[in-house]
Amino acid sequence: QQPVQSPQAVILREGEDAVINCSSSKALYSVHWYRQKHGEAPVFLMILLKGGEQKGHEKISASFNEKKQQSSLYLTASQLSYSGTYFCGTPRNSGNTPLVFGKGTRLSVIA
Amino acid sequence: EPEVTQTPSHQVTQMGQEVILRCVPISNHLYFYWYRQILGQKVEFLVSFYNNEISEKSEIFDDQFSVERPDGSNFTLKIRSTKLEDSAMYFCASSDDKGAHSPLHFGNGTRLTVT
């Protein structure tokens, strides 16, 4: 069952902050975040693992609330290069299985 | 940095024809995946492959689809009899460990257009 993302889209001016949310109806082992620019492949940003381990990007942070089955991606002091569609991915079944992705959040950063 | 490569970048085919999409995963990766993305929509899981066999597949991956690792480097997706609704971007991905705690590395995709 796919995770649910919100908001669907957001427009920011350079320097503003944004939060993208991802929630699941089932217990999560991990949450992945990817960014896809128009016409390109999704690119890995970050993994959040059960137990708090985080692997990923320097300038973008995220949280993972295992009890609430939610994750949030924090983009601070946004830059034009942050524009794209952000997808969260969660294991398809329990534990260590392939990812299924949410519908994505389209982020547009304008000057 | 090693990358996943896909060929062709764009494939146009007529309905009912067979297509083979090719991928070269990162060389030391053991887990391979196909995803598809219909224009403007989410990235959908099709199939995962490990140790020369399918480990999981979605409801989308029906009998018209098959995957193969014909040699030590290539990973292919075959669609036997294409339909209009198969038009999409198909992404191959690989990882060095199982999906939940290992990043997926995506190729640049093959845009399949069925006419």
Side-chain angles (χ1 to χ4, degrees), chain B residues 15-26:
Chain B
M15 197 167 51
Q17 295 296 304
E18 174 182 287
V19 294
I20 298 176
L21 310 183
R22 291 182 167 79
C23 169
V24 179
I26 293 173

Side-chain angles (χ1 to χ4, degrees), chain A residues 2 29-30 32 34 36 39-42 44 47 49 55 87 91-93 95-103, chain B residues 33 35 37 40-43 45 48 56-59 89 91 97-104 106-109 111:
Chain A
Q2 68 183 63
Y29 179 86
S30 67
H32 292 222
Y34 292 78
Q36 185 180 33
E40 299 181 8
F44 168 73
I47 292 180
L49 302 173
K55 299 200 286 186
F87 293 97
R92 185 164 179 264
N93 299 306
N96 224 0
T97 58
L99 299 179
V100 289
F101 291 94
K103 291 186 176 180
Chain B
Y33 313 86
Y35 286 82
Q37 186 177 34
Q41 298 187 26
K42 65 174 180 173
V43 179
F45 169 72
S48 59
E56 280 196 49
K57 60 182 181 179
S58 72
E59 306 74 26
M89 182 73 89
F91 290 106
D97 202 341
K98 287 184 181 178
H101 64 255
S102 186
L104 296 183
F106 285 90
N108 284 328
R111 182 174 296 282

